[in-house]
Amino acid sequence: MSAPPTLPDALLGRVLTLGKEDWRYGCRRLRLRVEQVRHDLSRYYDNEWIWLVGETLGPDGAPQGRMGALVRVAALAATD
């Protein structure tokens, strides 16, 4: 599976809501406002996973801190 070349640009500024199975090392749902795509790390995951950095958001939309997350590319299509 290949990520579309425009995928990183389309993600910047978006708020993603991800299930716990859609990102690695997470044990809960995640709301993330995307600020950066880590191409340098993502290339090691055969375009199946992508490293994103952004602000986590609480249920009310309040900022909860900045973090990085390894996200399943297939889950990004489901968030459209």
Side-chain angles (χ1 to χ4, degrees), residues 3-25:
T6 58
L7 181 64
D9 292 332
L11 291 175
L12 295 177
R14 284 189 47 197
V15 174
L16 304 176
T17 302
L18 302 164
K20 63 182 180 180
E21 66 281 354
D22 293 328
W23 64 291
R24 290 266 178 108
Y25 318 115

Side-chain angles (χ1 to χ4, degrees), residues 5-45:
T6 58
L7 181 64
D9 292 332
L11 291 175
L12 295 177
R14 284 189 47 197
V15 174
L16 304 176
T17 302
L18 302 164
K20 63 182 180 180
E21 66 281 354
D22 293 328
W23 64 291
R24 290 266 178 108
Y25 318 115
C27 57
R28 60 180 171 83
R29 291 180 59 103
L30 174 67
R31 291 189 67 213
L32 183 75
R33 182 184 308 117
V34 180
E35 298 172 350
Q36 179 185 17
V37 177
R38 294 287 312 265
H39 299 285
D40 56 329
L41 297 175
S42 299
R43 65 185 172 145
Y44 295 108
Y45 297 94

